[in-house]
């Protein structure tokens, strides 16, 4: 006889927090969002603690090196996508680990043979107006010049004009050698009234750029997530097929934590993968697993050795798993169930295994709810895809800036496997994700700060100064569909259509 779960399964939008008593101490500046990433024993501390409870989804359209750096600067961690060759993924991990704050490796590099049209297109896509020109167009090629928006007049100059005709050539540029410190670079920028300073190696090859505007921001990143060698922390996604070759490359590249990326975690494949990692590396390699949506799935992965466990099937914004396969569970109900199992497991064994609510965060308050319901941190895809730093292109759709965002189960993401692995033996023959646009939302730093200010403010309303206290004190209520309508602006005509847009804008 099939097992029937009692009650319905609910999602975050069906809940609200009821305020508790807040004292004068309860102000956002006093709130800590520190949270454990990997399992630990009673009385001990997690080997990795996040400074903010956010990790980025293991997705091509979300977690590349640029986003990983920007998120680590804010105190979270990115999981570089695994749907690429193991060598390419390891290279992305290395890029994050070798990153020096303030030294930017350009992802908008030109060749002298390109045209003004190419420059304008690249500027549109990347949002960058300063572009180095190298002999081969790569970010490590020989520096031959630089282009800034002061070098051309888009309305008057011919789009076919060559970059070599209007760039500032290398012999007219001030550059600095590889061992220049950020402070020294900044002094050169100020003394010479520059906007950007190219850093070059002894053969004249481009290494990075230092921008005038960046210096202050790099001095003030109080929450940045660093390893013992003061490098940014980064995670990497793996699968249950090629782990024996992929994991060693990622570990060698310096990945701080791994995560098995799969829509279904309650499987023998995940157990085998976890066991192989433990047999090969003991506890020195940290690895999360998932996704599960109930206590049974949690216990299975806990026993198999997962360092953290992800929750969520079918709730992601680009996800059509529920429609395609009819499996899944409301995200809020899944979190509540698994959090209870995590606490019971802790009581029984003295081992605390952090859990991560993955997918389905639409409004900022969903994050607060996920934390209040017991999640230790959240994994977000759509949320991060919207920012400058995500790997996808920025495009104009119906007059508005958008970023592309596609699911790992979409045909677009799966192509790499067909071509690079020579066919996926256990592969699925139907799509579980869509290809989409999401509204462009500027720099990650601004977006994350704004969201977390709201989370902290709500925590204060609940009388909580940290995540465990929120979990203890939160009072959570289900809401009816009419009270959801009551929660938005209603029965008024908004004066400003922009207000309407920003009001409806989901973060
Ligand atoms: P979002 O934050 O709601 O956009 O959800 C992101 C999450 O959706 C990811 O972390 C994955 O767990 C999940 N996901 C990513 N790609 C797909 C897909 O193609 N189908 C189903 N779920 C996906």
């Amino acid at each position: 006889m099939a097992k029937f779960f009692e009650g319905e399964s609910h999602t975050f939008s069906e809940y609200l927090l009821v305020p508790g008593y807040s004292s004068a101490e309860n102000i956002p500046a006093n709130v800590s969002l520190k949270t454990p990433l990997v399992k630990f024993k009673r009385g001990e501390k997690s080997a990795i603690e996040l400074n903010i409870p956010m990790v980025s989804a293991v997705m091509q359209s979300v977690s590349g090196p640029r986003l990983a750096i920007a998120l680590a600067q804010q105190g979270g961690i990115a999981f570089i996508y695994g749907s690429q060759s193991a060598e390419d993924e390891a290279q992305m991990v290395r890029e994050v680990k070798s990153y020096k704050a303030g030294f930017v490796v350009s992802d908008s590099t030109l060749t002298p043979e390109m045209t003004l049209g190419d420059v304008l297109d690249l500027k549109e896509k990347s949002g960058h107006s300063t572009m180095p020109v190298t002999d081969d167009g790569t970010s490590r090629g020989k520096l031959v010049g630089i282009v800034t928006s002061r070098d051309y007049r888009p309305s008057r100059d011919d789009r076919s004009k060559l970059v070599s005709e209007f760039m500032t050539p290398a012999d007219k540029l001030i550059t600095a050698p590889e061992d220049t410190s950020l402070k020294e670079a900044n002094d050169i920028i100020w003394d010479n009234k520059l906007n950007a300073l190219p850093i070059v190696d002894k053969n004249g090859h481009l290494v990075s750029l230092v921008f005038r505007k960046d210096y202050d921001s790099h001095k003030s990143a109080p929450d940045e997530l660093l390893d013992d060698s003061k490098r940014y922390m980064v995670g990497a996604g793996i699968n249950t097929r090629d782990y024996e070759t992929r994991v060693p490359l990622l570990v060698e590249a310096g990945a701080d934590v791994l995560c098995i990326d799969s829509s279904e975690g309650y499987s023998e494949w995940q157990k085998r993968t976890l066991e192989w990692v433990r047999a090969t590396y003991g506890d020195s390699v940290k690895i999360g697993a998932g996704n599960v949506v109930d206590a049974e799935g949690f216990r299975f992965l806990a026993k198999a050795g997962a360092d953290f466990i992800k929750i969520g099937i079918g709730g992601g914004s680009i996800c059509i798993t529920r429609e395609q396969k009819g499996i899944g569970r409301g995200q809020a109900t899944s979190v509540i169930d698994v959090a209870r199992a995590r606490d019971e497991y802790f009581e029984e064994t003295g081992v605390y295994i952090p859990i991560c609510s993955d997918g389905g965060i639409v409004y900022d308050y969903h994050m607060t709810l996920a934390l209040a319901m017991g999640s230790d941190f959240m994994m977000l895809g759509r949320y991060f895809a919207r920012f400058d730093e995500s790997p996808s292109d920025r495009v104009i759709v119906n007059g508005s800036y958008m970023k592309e965002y596609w699911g790992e189960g979409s045909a677009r993401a799966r192509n790499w496997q067909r071509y690079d692995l020579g066919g996926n033996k256990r592969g699925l023959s139907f799509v579980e994700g869509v290809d989409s646009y999401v509204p462009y939302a500027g720099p990650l730093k601004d977006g994350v700060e704004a969201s977390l200010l709201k989370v902290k403010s709500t925590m204060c309303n609940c009388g909580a100064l940290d995540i465990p206290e929120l979990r203890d004190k939160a009072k959570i209520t289900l809401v009816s569909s009419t009270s959801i309508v009551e929660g938005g602006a209603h029965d008024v005509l908004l004066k400003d259509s922009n207000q309407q847009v920003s009001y409806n804008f989901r973060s």
Side-chain angles (χ1 to χ4, degrees):
M1 167 91 181
K3 172 176 177 173
F4 284 88
F5 283 93
E6 274 176 30
E8 294 168 327
S9 82
H10 296 284
T11 189
F12 294 127
S13 287
E14 293 168 87
Y15 288 95
L16 284 177
L17 285 152
V18 176
Y21 171 71
S22 49
S23 74
E25 284 288 287
N26 288 120
I27 54 168
N30 289 341
V31 173
S32 161
L33 291 175
K34 265 190 184 302
T35 193
L37 178 69
V38 293
K39 73 179 172 197
F40 57 95
K41 294 203 181 95
R42 197 190 303 278
E44 295 181 357
K45 254 178 69 171
S46 174
I48 306 176
E49 278 197 328
L50 300 173
N51 292 326
I52 61 169
M54 294 169 118
V55 306
S56 68
V58 196
M59 296 175 73
Q60 290 174 357
S61 48
V62 179
S63 297
R66 238 184 112 201
L67 186 118
I69 290 162
L71 182 52
Q73 283 169 341
Q74 296 312 303
I77 201 164
F79 285 90
I80 301 289
Y81 59 93
S83 49
Q84 58 178 326
S85 76
E87 289 75 18
D88 288 350
E89 188 181 7
Q91 181 52 33
M92 287 191 176
V93 169
R94 266 193 292 278
E95 223 174 277
V96 181
K97 297 309 283 187
S98 62
Y99 178 80
K100 284 162 64 189
F103 293 81
V104 178
V105 177
S106 172
D107 56 6
S108 313
T109 309
L110 308 167
T111 63
E113 296 78 31
M114 287 167 95
T115 62
L116 176 58
D118 296 326
V119 172
L120 295 174
D121 290 346
L122 199 55
K123 185 177 176 205
E124 188 69 49
K125 265 195 207 163
S126 67
H128 299 148
S129 49
T130 300
M131 302 175 196
V133 187
T134 60
D135 57 351
D136 61 2
T138 69
S139 58
R140 291 306 300 255
K142 194 170 169 50
L143 183 71
V144 292
I146 207 162
V147 168
T148 73
S149 43
R150 279 179 297 186
D151 295 324
Y152 54 82
R153 290 163 302 178
S155 51
R156 295 180 50 186
D157 291 350
D158 194 329
R159 279 179 68 92
S160 62
K161 196 170 171 184
L162 292 176
V163 164
S164 56
E165 294 171 42
F166 60 88
M167 69 182 188
T168 305
D171 57 11
K172 296 231 171 68
L173 287 174
I174 295 171
T175 62
E178 251 181 307
D179 56 1
T180 308
S181 72
L182 186 57
K183 161 106 187 42
E184 288 163 345
N186 189 56
D187 289 344
I188 298 171
I189 286 171
W190 277 92
D191 292 348
N192 296 282
K193 298 187 168 41
L194 306 175
N195 277 323
L197 174 69
I199 306 291
V200 291
D201 68 13
K202 54 183 185 317
N203 299 318
H205 284 245
L206 180 65
V207 176
S208 56
L209 294 167
V210 178
F211 289 92
R212 181 191 192 91
K213 61 181 168 39
D214 278 0
Y215 185 63
D216 284 336
S217 65
H218 289 297
K219 277 198 310 187
S220 60
D223 284 330
E224 59 189 359
L225 194 68
L226 302 172
D227 66 15
D228 293 342
S229 312
K230 301 250 173 284
R231 301 174 304 174
Y232 286 123
M233 282 200 160
V234 62
I238 64 164
N239 61 59
T240 56
R241 297 176 299 274
D242 65 6
Y243 52 88
E244 293 185 23
T245 49
R246 186 175 293 265
V247 171
L249 289 178
L250 296 173
V251 169
E252 202 213 306
D256 296 281
V257 56
L258 306 174
C259 180
I260 307 176
D261 180 36
S262 166
S263 60
E264 227 296 271
Y266 191 2
S267 79
E268 181 174 349
W269 306 114
Q270 295 236 341
K271 184 166 178 284
R272 283 193 201 175
T273 309
L274 291 167
E275 284 171 354
W276 181 86
V277 167
R278 288 287 169 256
T280 314
Y281 298 99
D283 283 336
S284 67
V285 167
K286 305 295 179 195
I287 174 165
N291 286 6
V292 297
V293 287
D294 68 358
E296 208 176 292
F298 171 86
R299 278 190 176 266
F300 174 80
L301 290 177
K303 283 200 194 116
D307 283 300
F308 66 85
I309 292 172
K310 281 202 295 132
I311 309 163
I313 297 178
S317 55
I318 33 52
C319 177
I320 51 170
T321 299
R322 291 188 200 162
E323 278 173 300
Q324 291 280 65
K325 294 168 71 181
I327 62 161
R329 198 178 188 194
Q331 188 64 11
T333 304
S334 307
V335 170
I336 294 166
D337 197 6
V338 174
R340 200 172 293 135
R342 186 255 338 261
D343 293 344
E344 283 168 11
Y345 188 83
F346 181 50
E347 278 302 306
E348 287 164 29
T349 63
V351 177
Y352 185 94
I353 303 178
I355 55 173
C356 166
S357 174
D358 174 16
I361 298 284
V362 178
Y363 296 103
D364 290 327
Y365 82 87
H366 288 174
M367 298 192 215
T368 325
L369 274 172
L371 296 171
M373 289 170 176
S375 197
D376 293 279
F377 54 98
M378 285 83 58
M379 178 172 270
L380 306 107
R382 188 193 58 87
Y383 179 89
F384 285 120
R386 302 169 306 138
F387 295 130
D388 278 326
E389 295 85 349
S390 77
S392 71
D393 286 343
R394 190 176 75 165
V395 290
I396 295 179
V397 181
N398 297 334
S400 302
Y401 278 125
M402 296 278 168
K403 293 272 287 191
E404 291 188 298
Y405 179 44
W406 61 96
E408 286 296 293
S410 67
R412 179 169 180 179
R414 285 198 178 157
N415 281 342
W416 81 277
Q417 281 178 324
R418 272 208 296 285
Y419 299 132
D420 294 349
L421 286 185
N424 171 2
K425 291 193 193 71
R426 273 186 266 140
L428 301 165
S429 53
F430 51 89
V431 293
E432 287 186 50
V434 297
D435 191 355
S436 69
Y437 297 117
V438 286
Y440 164 68
L444 177 144
K445 179 176 187 289
D446 297 354
V448 166
E449 276 177 3
S451 298
L452 292 183
L453 179 61
K454 286 190 226 168
V455 171
K456 288 178 177 177
S457 163
T458 312
M459 287 171 69
C460 290
N461 297 142
C462 297
L465 288 176
D466 57 34
I467 293 170
E469 196 177 9
L470 173 67
R471 226 179 267 164
D472 282 350
K473 291 190 169 169
K475 296 184 282 180
I476 301 173
T477 182
L478 263 173
V479 291
S480 69
S481 44
T482 25
S483 61
I484 294 174
V485 175
E486 184 187 59
H490 61 92
D491 302 306
V492 292
L493 188 62
L494 290 182
K495 287 184 181 168
D496 172 358
S497 59
N498 285 330
Q499 192 187 345
Q500 179 85 51
V501 170
S502 66
Y503 183 76
N504 286 335
F505 184 79
R506 296 162 165 218
S507 63

